[in-house]
């Protein structure tokens, strides 16, 4: 799964894992909840967690109906990790990008560009929570990370990720939070197959204990 664009066969495999009772971290039913980015964002919104507002065109002919102020971010389909994403700053860029988007059959999302100061990843494993403040090379969060620092998790955000973790019944889950210059924070997405790079060894040991318990 991860950053790939899920296909029907991947959903079939997850359903078979769930049906067969094969131990899985996270469980197949949890992974199915986050399988599609739109359903993942819907889940965050229903839980009352702060997410970025976005518009969606289900096909490229509807792009002309999406009016956005520059700059804004365009995302094609269901990829994670910054893939399928582009920053649009001018009318000329938008016209050229629409020509490229025309060849895609997937839905297209547009959202306001947030000139964030930091990208903060909150990671929950079992009943423990860690937080990492990150800075990427360019504008994309969670991509080409150049700086990172483990920080003390804020109580408010520990509670938010625990609400999510309990709702989707996740052994492990991460939320990526963008922090602006004025201190505003918003959730970019949640990740039910998060990488552990940069997190302390005890986070990896905690995950290993889950794997062992499912044998």
């Amino acid at each position: 799964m991860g950053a790939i664009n899920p296909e029907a066969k991947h959903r079939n495999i997850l359903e078979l894992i769930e049906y067969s009772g094969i131990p899985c971290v996270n469980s197949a039913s949890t992974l199915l909840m986050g399988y599609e980015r739109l359903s993942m964002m819907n889940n965050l919104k229903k839980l009352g967690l702060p997410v970025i507002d976005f518009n969606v065109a289900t096909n490229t002919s509807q792009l002309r109906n999406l009016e956005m102020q520059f700059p804004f971010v365009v995302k094609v389909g269901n990829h994670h990790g910054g893939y399928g994403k582009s920053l649009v700053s001018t009318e000329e860029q938008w016209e050229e990008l629409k020509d490229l988007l025309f060849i895609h059959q997937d839905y297209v999302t547009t959202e306001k560009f947030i000139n964030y100061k930091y990208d903060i990843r909150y990671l929950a494993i079992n009943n423990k929570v860690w937080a990492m403040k990150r800075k990427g090379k360019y504008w994309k969060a969670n991509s080409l990370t150049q700086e990172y620092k483990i920080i003390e998790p804020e109580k408010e955000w520990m509670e938010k990720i625990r609400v999510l973790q309990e709702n989707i019944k996740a052994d492990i889950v991460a939320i990526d939070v963008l922090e602006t210059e004025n201190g505003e924070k918003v959730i970019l997405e949640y990740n039910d197959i998060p990488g552990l790079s940069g997190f302390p060894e005890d986070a990896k040991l905690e995950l290993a204990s889950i794997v062992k318990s499912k044998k």
Side-chain angles (χ1 to χ4, degrees), residues 105-162:
Q105 303 301 313
D106 217 331
Y107 65 88
V108 178
T109 303
T110 64
E111 61 190 38
K112 176 185 176 182
F113 172 63
I114 296 178
N115 189 18
Y116 65 95
K117 183 179 180 182
Y118 290 107
D119 161 30
I120 304 171
R121 167 161 285 189
Y122 278 85
L123 174 70
I125 306 176
N126 271 343
N127 61 350
K128 298 181 180 178
V129 179
W130 295 264
M132 181 194 295
K133 185 175 285 190
R134 307 178 295 185
K135 189 78 173 177
K137 187 175 181 180
Y138 302 115
W139 64 271
K140 290 183 182 180
N142 190 23
S143 179
L144 299 176
T145 301
Q146 289 192 315
E147 304 173 29
Y148 63 88
K149 178 184 178 183
I150 298 297
I151 61 173
E152 188 68 25
E154 294 183 15
K155 183 179 179 181
E156 174 190 357
W157 286 90
M158 289 175 67
E159 291 173 354
K160 290 183 189 304
I161 194 170
R162 282 173 174 153

Side-chain angles (χ1 to χ4, degrees), residues 3-6 34-38 75-80 106-107:
I4 67 169
N5 197 26
Y35 177 88
E36 164 56 56
R37 190 170 187 269
L38 290 179
K75 186 171 179 63
V76 182
N78 201 36
H79 291 277
H80 291 271
D106 217 331
Y107 65 88

Side-chain angles (χ1 to χ4, degrees), residues 77-97:
N78 201 36
H79 291 277
H80 291 271
Y83 292 101
K85 240 179 181 181
S86 184
L87 175 61
V88 180
S89 301
T90 67
E91 186 69 39
E92 182 179 4
Q93 284 182 335
W94 182 219
E95 288 303 318
E96 290 183 357
L97 186 57

